[in-house]
Amino acid sequence: MALTTAALGLIWAATASPAGAAVVNLQDVVPVPVSVQPAAGVTYTLPSTATIQTASGSGPATDAGNYLAGVLRPSTGYALPVVAASGTPTSGIALLLSGADASVGTEGYQIDVTAASVIVRAQTPAGLFHGVQTLRQLLPPQIEARTVQSGPWTLAGGRIVDYPRYGYRGAMLDVSRHFFGVDVVKRYLDEIAQYKINTLHLHLSDDQGWRIVVDAWPRLATVGGSTQVGGGAGGYYTKAQYSDIVAYATARHITIVPEIDMPGHVNAAQASYAELNCNNTAPALYTGINVGFSSLCVNKEVTYTFVQQVLSELAAITPGPYLHIGGDEAQSTTAADYRTFINRIQPYVGNAGKTVMGWHQIGQTDHTANRVAQYWGTGTSDADLSAAVSKGDKILLSPANKTYIDMKYNNQTTLGLSWAGLIEVQTAYGWDPGAYLSGVPASAIIGVEAPMWSETLTKLADIEYMAFPRLPAIAELAWSPQAARNWDTFKVRLGAQGPRWTLQGINFYRSTQVPWGTLPSNPPSASPSASASASPSASASRSPSASPSASSSAPAGALANGGFESGSLSPWTGARCSVVASPVRSGTKALAGSVTASDTAQCEQTVTVQPNRTYKLNAYVQGSYVYIGATGTGVNVSTWTPGTGSAYAPLSVTFTTGASTTSVTVFVHGWYGQPSYYADDFTLTAS
Ligand code: TNX
């Protein structure tokens, strides 16, 4: 008889393989499976001659086989040919579209591990794909290495029968506040697919950027997509690039849900076309992080031509069922105009063959067939949410204080925002989607989505740091039955994922709430590069400070008044640059500066340096979006911290002078979304 994982939750002893190495217990995967039935004493070890046999005649089953082979070949070094199965395979790995327990449904799977074979069975290609992700986690963590490892590749014997709690298991990426290219989105798709996430919502438009080409309105992309938060270059997807993302997602059984946020969050569109403004005047592009200041002009006909054309072009390149129309934070639209606007545009979605999805404020407006309201509040009840439910909307859960993975983990986290609270892993994990909202029946909930807003995130490593480990936690809420979930067992299973992420090169937050697993320190045949990337120190995100011996003998550029204790600003100069007695990091005074909406005035001083040397500028800064850097002949560097809260944090940047560099100007400045900053204790060291 199969045991549920709830019953097995307290069994943690690792099973011993014949070779003596620990194997992963069947229930020790994320998300935890619905049921497992261990076969005591049975293991399967992958031989070098194994084949991957896939359901004969099924292209998607072959695709799943090729995907699995792509994971297994680099680390095993085995050929693992993908071949058509004939009958029921008696050896190797098989992926079959028949014979699964009926309970697995459209996305579940069954895995049988015997001494002779590993057979994954499902009713659909999606089920096989999810089974493949589980199989991957049942192998030792070294399976994720990209260089040949020694094995043995042994799995515990038994049966898993598994299927999801919710059909919508989502992640969201805000590509508007900062733009992320196709490669970053693909990498994120690979990462989330491991945890059986099946939807990626792309927030394609906002005040700061429009990120998808619309042929009828070309300036949306070329003008509206030309910048981003902080003033960088931004970017946009061509339709071919968007379709490339969709195809990549589809191959991983992930649906793309595109969002065009309306009637607020539209400054980028309004900056691109004057006629989208009530006063026929295009505003400037916006690179700050405020919300709620823009609105489409509800009483102009051109607004509806625009929305209809945008939505129909987007529908034409989106195979998934949903178009997300936003509808949040429309603080510059009256309540009556909001209803008029949403009620008028919703039929465009239906006419394009799609279903409306919107943030839960759309509960103020008319229900349309199968409509989904995405809840993003921080409480457990809300008037707009109740209205949505009473009208028959389905609910997607993204409570901001649980699932907003752009929130900081704690007050030491430099990336992220904190308006919805600090979200440690246990906070993200510790709630039941079926019973979270008051007055909302469990039957109305279609699933859970973890949004990643990108005001403070500029690169893949930032996205990874905020998603891992919280995204896998939320993925388990969306997949696993509530009765099988338990923080004490989850944190151990989660900790075992850490070495896999290290080998995959994922930059993750090492929460102290999680007992992180380690890889064996000296795997016998691991290549030097593989063992280096597996070591915990190699993955630490902070770079080591310059070694004292290297810097002590070298001449440093003298940085006058770096600690501000003299009471005089000189030689630091600059508009709105001053010395204050508070707040203070050390001593009695600190440098204070501010910027305005129209400039990023800086505190600066020019320092004599030597040619052909490497220097490190160090400072302590307090505030959000504080930059330090240096410019001069052949030198142009800066770095920034997105936020230090009310505490000082160290910030440093390194530069190398050229043959003709005799001086550099070092600087500190803020950014006009977050204008005030403090800085103290500057040093400039040479190495
Ligand atoms: C709220 S959630 C927003 C976004 C911000 C996010 C930052 C929602 C529907 N609106 O505009 O990016 O907070 O956490």
Side-chain angles (χ1 to χ4, degrees):
M1 184 193 113
L3 297 172
T4 67
T5 45
L8 281 170
L10 293 175
I11 303 172
W12 290 109
T15 311
S17 74
V23 300
V24 177
N25 290 313
L26 294 184
Q27 73 273 23
D28 289 355
V29 295
V30 178
V32 68
V34 171
S35 87
V36 304
Q37 186 176 358
V42 175
T43 60
Y44 172 78
T45 299
L46 191 69
S48 61
T49 54
T51 59
I52 298 176
Q53 301 147 77
T54 63
S56 188
S58 168
T62 307
D63 292 344
N66 286 329
Y67 182 96
L68 178 62
V71 173
L72 304 186
R73 284 175 187 149
S75 50
T76 61
Y78 301 165
L80 298 171
V82 178
V83 300
S86 59
T88 301
T90 53
S91 66
I93 298 174
L95 308 178
L96 306 178
L97 285 168
S98 59
D101 188 277
S103 67
V104 303
T106 56
E107 285 197 283
Y109 63 91
Q110 172 177 327
I111 297 181
D112 288 281
V113 181
T114 66
S117 64
V118 178
I119 302 185
V120 183
R121 294 184 171 88
Q123 298 181 349
T124 62
L128 281 185
F129 185 80
H130 296 137
V132 160
Q133 298 296 353
T134 294
L135 173 53
R136 193 173 166 180
Q137 291 188 32
L138 293 176
L139 285 156
Q142 293 88 338
I143 202 71
E144 300 297 339
R146 300 294 86 186
T147 54
V148 177
Q149 309 291 305
S150 61
W153 306 108
T154 302
L155 296 86
R159 169 173 293 181
I160 295 177
V161 176
D162 195 18
Y163 49 87
R165 179 178 186 184
Y166 293 112
Y168 192 118
R169 304 177 303 281
M172 187 208 86
L173 189 59
D174 172 8
V175 296
S176 182
R177 269 54 176 270
H178 281 102
F179 180 67
F180 301 102
V182 173
D183 288 351
V184 172
V185 178
K186 286 181 173 177
R187 165 96 180 172
Y188 197 49
L189 284 163
D190 277 325
E191 293 175 354
I192 66 180
Q194 295 186 77
Y195 298 98
K196 304 182 174 69
I197 294 288
N198 68 354
T199 311
L200 180 66
H201 165 184
L202 289 176
H203 185 75
L204 289 170
S205 71
D206 213 303
D207 291 314
Q208 298 85 348
W210 186 286
R211 306 303 181 196
I212 181 73
V213 166
V214 177
D215 294 329
W217 298 78
R219 288 166 56 83
L220 291 171
T222 58
V223 176
S226 66
T227 191
Q228 60 185 357
V229 166
Y236 58 84
Y237 307 121
T238 63
K239 287 186 172 178
Q241 287 174 324
Y242 178 84
S243 296
D244 186 28
I245 290 171
V246 167
Y248 197 85
T250 304
R252 284 147 188 77
H253 299 277
I254 294 175
T255 300
I256 297 291
V257 174
E259 177 185 354
I260 299 297
D261 201 350
M262 303 174 282
H265 293 273
V266 292
N267 189 77
Q270 293 184 307
S272 307
Y273 287 98
E275 62 263 47
L276 295 179
N277 299 271
C278 284
N279 64 2
N280 289 316
T281 306
L285 291 165
Y286 180 69
T287 59
I289 62 169
N290 289 335
V291 297
F293 60 87
S294 60
S295 175
L296 288 172
C297 192
V298 170
N299 298 318
K300 270 181 143 183
E301 268 317 292
V302 68
T303 297
Y304 299 95
T305 307
F306 166 78
V307 174
Q308 196 276 330
Q309 290 178 335
V310 166
L311 291 178
S312 73
E313 287 196 31
L314 196 54
I317 53 175
T318 301
Y322 296 114
L323 292 188
H324 200 304
I325 58 171
D328 61 313
E329 296 174 324
Q331 289 139 6
S332 298
T333 318
T334 66
D337 278 358
Y338 181 84
R339 284 192 299 274
T340 300
F341 175 80
I342 297 285
N343 286 340
R344 184 153 170 200
I345 71 163
Q346 286 187 132
Y348 302 158
V349 176
N351 293 344
K354 303 296 178 186
T355 299
V356 172
M357 186 176 285
W359 299 105
H360 72 265
Q361 281 76 20
I362 61 166
Q364 297 166 27
T365 68
D366 295 346
H367 172 76
T368 59
N370 304 314
R371 189 171 79 163
V372 174
Q374 181 170 7
Y375 180 65
W376 63 280
T378 54
T380 56
S381 65
D382 178 279
D384 295 337
L385 171 73
S386 305
V389 172
S390 66
K391 289 171 181 173
D393 288 2
K394 295 293 186 195
I395 304 300
L396 175 62
L397 283 170
S398 298
N401 53 336
K402 304 287 184 191
T403 68
Y404 267 33
I405 55 178
D406 63 314
M407 292 298 120
K408 294 175 185 291
Y409 290 96
N410 58 44
N411 57 19
Q412 306 297 308
T413 313
T414 52
L415 295 170
L417 302 175
S418 55
W419 69 265
L422 302 170
I423 306 182
E424 253 294 358
V425 195
Q426 191 171 4
T427 305
Y429 186 77
W431 58 288
D432 174 5
Y436 184 69
L437 297 175
S438 52
V440 177
S443 59
I445 308 293
I446 63 163
V448 188
E449 178 180 294
M452 179 82 80
W453 301 99
S454 65
E455 285 92 337
T456 66
L457 313 177
T458 62
K459 55 186 185 298
L460 175 68
D462 297 348
I463 294 170
E464 291 176 341
Y465 187 82
M466 300 309 267
F468 291 88
R470 291 181 292 199
L471 185 87
I474 292 164
E476 179 156 311
L477 264 76
W479 179 280
S480 305
Q482 182 66 15
R485 297 203 308 109
N486 172 308
W487 167 253
D488 290 327
T489 57
F490 173 70
K491 68 182 180 187
V492 179
R493 288 182 286 110
L494 186 65
Q497 302 297 303
R500 295 171 193 268
W501 300 337
T502 299
L503 290 171
Q504 292 172 8
I506 293 179
N507 179 38
F508 67 99
Y509 164 61
R510 286 161 176 75
S511 170
T512 56
Q513 297 183 332
V514 177
W516 296 106
T518 51
L519 287 166
S521 52
N522 54 348
S525 73
S527 71
S529 68
S531 57
S533 67
S535 90
S537 63
S539 51
S541 57
R542 278 178 218 291
S543 56
S545 52
S547 85
S549 62
S551 56
S552 58
S553 60
L559 190 57
N561 207 2
F564 310 106
E565 303 318 323
S566 73
S568 158
L569 188 64
S570 178
W572 289 91
T573 58
R576 294 181 302 284
C577 174
S578 56
V579 168
V580 293
S582 173
V584 166
R585 189 187 109 77
S586 59
T588 58
K589 293 184 168 63
L591 175 64
S594 69
V595 300
T596 69
S598 55
D599 71 23
T600 47
Q602 62 193 32
C603 292
E604 62 181 47
Q605 64 171 281
T606 300
V607 190
T608 301
V609 291
Q610 299 206 339
N612 296 319
R613 296 209 81 96
T614 297
Y615 288 87
K616 189 173 179 196
L617 174 67
N618 304 287
Y620 284 84
V621 298
Q622 177 184 324
S624 294
Y625 300 92
V626 188
Y627 291 71
I628 62 168
T631 55
T633 307
V635 175
N636 185 5
V637 296
S638 69
T639 189
W640 59 291
T641 172
T644 70
S646 57
Y648 277 100
L651 191 60
S652 62
V653 64
T654 301
F655 59 91
T656 301
T657 54
S660 56
T661 315
T662 54
S663 68
V664 295
T665 299
V666 299
F667 64 82
V668 54
H669 68 76
W671 165 74
Y672 57 76
Q674 304 278 331
S676 306
Y677 65 91
Y678 298 95
D680 206 346
D681 292 339
F682 281 85
T683 58
L684 187 63
T685 56
S687 55

